[in-house]
Amino acid sequence: MKYEGSITITADNEDALKGVTEVCGDVRVEGSAKLDAPALTTIGGSVWVYGGAKLDAPALTTVGGDVWVEGGAKLDAPALTTIGGDVTVYGGAKLDALTTVGGSVWVEGGAKLDAPALTTVGGSVWVEGSAKLDAPALTTIGG
């Protein structure tokens, strides 16, 4: 099932993407929301997870825009291979299958990004403060 447009997930509508395989726009998960999206494979726009929220998307393979994880939020997308834009992590993200980021990667504060399969970043890579980036396969930065 396809969801046309963008959506914001809060604690009040955590089931809004149940059975959805594709979101054509952006997905925002905020506050104390815990979004479990087992069928979701594609997000055409960007993803924001912030304010202590959590997004579990085990089948997600592609995000066309940016990915933001902020404010103690968590993103677990073990099948995600491609992000078309930037990745900014101020929280925690586990992206085991991620191979390609079209834009830049920013990991800041006390954040941690696990991306063991990441090989290519089209822009820059920034790791600041006590942040940690685990990307042992990274071979290409900046095209």
Side-chain angles (χ1 to χ4, degrees):
M1 178 178 8
K2 185 187 284 192
Y3 185 93
E4 299 288 344
S6 298
I7 188 167
T8 298
I9 303 295
T10 65
D12 295 331
N13 67 341
E14 291 175 338
D15 291 334
L17 295 179
K18 189 172 185 172
V20 173
T21 58
E22 179 180 358
V23 175
C24 296
D26 299 333
V27 174
R28 293 179 185 264
V29 186
E30 60 185 41
S32 62
K34 307 280 187 259
L35 177 60
D36 184 20
L40 187 62
T41 61
T42 304
I43 297 172
S46 295
V47 176
W48 287 272
V49 185
Y50 55 97
K54 183 169 186 189
L55 171 56
D56 285 321
L60 182 64
T61 60
T62 305
V63 173
D66 299 332
V67 172
W68 289 78
V69 183
E70 300 183 36
K74 302 278 187 217
L75 170 62
D76 190 7
L80 182 61
T81 59
T82 305
I83 296 171
D86 295 337
V87 176
T88 304
V89 179
Y90 293 94
K94 187 169 175 55
L95 306 172
D96 290 340
L98 183 65
T99 59
T100 305
V101 174
S104 294
V105 173
W106 303 79
V107 188
E108 300 187 35
K112 183 172 184 192
L113 172 57
D114 290 321
L118 181 62
T119 60
T120 304
V121 174
S124 301
V125 174
W126 299 88
V127 181
E128 297 181 2
S130 61
K132 294 182 179 158
L133 171 62
D134 180 19
L138 184 59
T139 57
T140 304
I141 298 173

